[in-house]
Amino acid sequence: MKNASLLLLPGDGIGPEVIAELSRVIEWFAQHREVTFDITLDDLGGAAYDRYGTPLADDTLQKAKEVDAIVMGSVGGPKWDDVARHLRPEAGLLTLRKELDLFANLRPATCRPALASASSLHEELVSGLDILILRELTAGVYFGEPRGIEEMPDGRRRALDTQVYFESEIERLLHVGFDLASKRNGKLHSVEKANVMETGVFWREIATRVGKEYPAITLEHMYADNCAMQLVRAPKQFDVIATDNLFGDILSDCAAMLTGSLGMLPSASLGAEINGTRAALYEPVHGSAPDIAGQGKANPLATILSFAMCLRYSFDMQADADLLESAVDKVLGDNIRTIDIAAKGVAPVSTSEMGTALINALSTLDT
Ligand code: NAD
């Protein structure tokens, strides 16, 4: 029997509502499958500020470093708009990511069959789509120095950001990419702008070298602008796309929208492997949705699909992850939908009704 330790951080807004449904799913797995969960619940973001006076308490961070994986809801909301910048809810999440050195951000773009008609692209282009964007998260132009807005001696003003990557930062991201491709469909697109950027030339050189260690994986290099075009022209050509922080930010949002609602999008952020385990944070892509918080309208599936990623990548429980994803497909196929994905003419269900339907689907499929 496997034992997995989990830290749950519901956060703010709809976070507690979606994590409540996830807790029921976790309980179902503990009761029906070969796994036990050692669960700790704590606050992050605005909820932590209200309780501890800081968006990430030292004790919470310590727990985060000790567990096998973390699943969070979302942070932020208008209640904390006037709080000092370093104490704002988002600062807690950024510190958590930095402290755990979560450099690899995984954003799947999977088109759930029942939602294929909801995509902005033709159904045949996205039906069956299953791609994974791997974005470098802790370096590149968002962090590079020097940066700023300055005045030149001749009085002209200018702004600058610096795109800088160490070899080791590119290398470790690509190793994660090739590993993921080897567990998926064996194809990796390394995406940069080697035609116009030195960091692109460097990235391509390293990808070629690291790729030689993975002879079973097909490596293709692609310019980021072409990748953006290909994502909307023929997205099914991709398996894993590995790219830097800036291009990954843009391409992952573009790919996400191929698949429908924000309420359906999971993500994972992984850190370095130490003694065989990786720090890992799983979270829905959406925010705290203050406009619907407390109304029972939130779609919990992005968070539940994030947990499926946790089963797959942190606990190596592939069959359980498949089961959970199949349960999501069953519920959607039965036209049980929250308001954000509701089918025409079918009354939407509440957050907890969606949770109940999912539990029932798990029991039905687990024969
Ligand atoms: P949002 O993702 O919270 O909401 C955007 C829209 O999508 C809203 O209309 C919302 O009702 C809807 N929506 C989002 N998630 C949904 C779900 N699960 N089910 C149904 N509908 C859903 O983005 P926003 O409004 O720009 O930001 C709100 C707050 O969330 C801000 O404070 C922002 O800083 C924060 N935020 C946090 C994270 C995070 O915790 N990682 C990410 C993004 C935004």
Side-chain angles (χ1 to χ4, degrees):
M1 176 80 85
K2 194 180 185 92
N3 183 49
S5 61
L6 267 180
L7 172 62
L8 298 184
L9 298 170
D12 309 318
I14 60 170
E17 297 167 57
V18 294
I19 291 286
E21 298 316 309
L22 172 62
S23 298
R24 296 171 68 195
V25 169
I26 293 173
E27 179 59 28
W28 185 92
F29 274 87
Q31 278 179 12
H32 295 86
R33 311 288 284 189
E34 290 293 300
V35 59
T36 57
F37 291 100
D38 186 1
I39 293 181
T40 310
L41 195 68
D42 206 345
D43 286 315
L44 178 73
Y49 176 78
D50 290 349
R51 185 169 161 198
Y52 304 122
T54 169
L56 175 65
D58 291 346
D59 189 46
T60 312
L61 177 58
Q62 189 53 37
K63 282 180 210 156
K65 287 179 174 170
E66 288 164 5
V67 292
D68 296 325
I70 305 159
V71 186
M72 67 164 268
S74 51
V75 294
K79 183 179 174 195
W80 302 279
D81 274 354
D82 297 329
V83 169
R85 182 177 274 272
H86 69 289
L87 293 174
R88 289 177 64 122
E90 297 77 9
L93 177 56
L94 290 178
T95 307
L96 184 63
R97 286 181 181 151
K98 187 163 176 280
E99 286 287 327
L100 297 177
D101 196 15
L102 300 172
F103 65 90
N105 183 231
L106 282 61
R107 290 265 302 261
T110 309
C111 189
R112 313 245 64 101
L115 296 182
S117 60
S119 170
S120 50
L121 295 191
H122 287 303
E123 195 169 335
E124 68 270 18
L125 284 183
V126 293
S127 177
L129 182 73
D130 177 17
I131 62 184
L132 183 64
I133 309 243
L134 177 66
R135 166 188 173 192
E136 200 290 325
L137 202 59
T138 52
V141 73
Y142 291 168
F143 296 94
E145 298 283 346
R147 58 186 290 145
I149 299 173
E150 60 189 21
E151 192 163 318
M152 307 293 285
D154 66 4
R156 285 181 303 159
R157 294 173 75 226
R158 70 174 191 178
L160 73 156
D161 296 286
T162 303
Q163 163 88 329
V164 54
Y165 267 107
F166 282 93
E167 188 167 22
S168 56
E169 291 167 335
I170 300 174
E171 239 172 39
R172 67 179 183 173
L173 193 270
L174 287 164
H175 278 295
V176 173
F178 282 107
D179 278 345
L180 289 168
S182 65
K183 289 180 188 145
R184 293 170 46 94
N185 296 317
K187 199 155 129 189
L188 182 119
H189 279 81
S190 170
V191 169
E192 27 62 8
K193 287 280 286 177
N195 49 343
V196 286
M197 294 174 75
E198 295 304 323
T199 45
V201 173
F202 195 47
W203 186 285
R204 186 171 286 217
E205 172 203 312
I206 295 166
T208 305
R209 174 165 49 74
V210 174
K212 296 207 166 86
E213 295 176 40
Y214 300 85
I217 307 298
T218 307
L219 166 66
E220 285 187 36
H221 303 282
M222 189 177 266
Y223 297 140
D225 48 345
N226 185 25
C227 184
M229 279 198 285
Q230 297 300 331
L231 273 174
V232 289
R233 193 187 71 86
K236 283 193 255 182
Q237 69 185 285
F238 296 108
D239 178 18
V240 177
I241 294 173
T243 191
D244 75 11
N245 203 341
L246 173 63
F247 297 141
D249 190 4
I250 298 165
L251 295 173
S252 61
D253 271 11
C254 173
M257 279 303 105
L258 303 176
T259 68
S261 164
L262 206 48
M264 291 297 304
L265 297 171
S267 80
S269 300
L270 307 179
E273 195 169 312
I274 300 167
N275 298 330
T277 57
R278 275 185 198 284
L281 170 68
Y282 298 88
E283 57 178 314
V285 167
H286 63 71
S288 58
D291 54 334
I292 57 165
Q295 299 174 29
K297 289 182 178 167
N299 184 348
L301 295 181
T303 305
I304 287 167
L305 288 167
S306 301
F307 181 64
M309 292 183 80
C310 174
L311 293 174
R312 197 178 295 289
Y313 297 119
S314 282
F315 304 143
D316 201 21
M317 294 167 60
Q318 312 301 337
D320 299 82
D322 288 346
L323 173 67
L324 186 48
E325 286 168 358
S326 300
V328 168
D329 285 336
K330 174 161 173 37
V331 165
L332 296 174
D334 290 345
N335 262 333
I336 297 166
R337 315 272 179 94
T338 43
I339 195 159
D340 56 313
I341 49 170
K344 257 202 181 115
V346 182
V349 299
S350 69
T351 309
S352 63
E353 284 167 339
M354 177 58 99
T356 303
L358 195 75
I359 299 284
N360 291 339
L362 281 167
S363 293
T364 305
L365 294 173
D366 182 40
T367 47

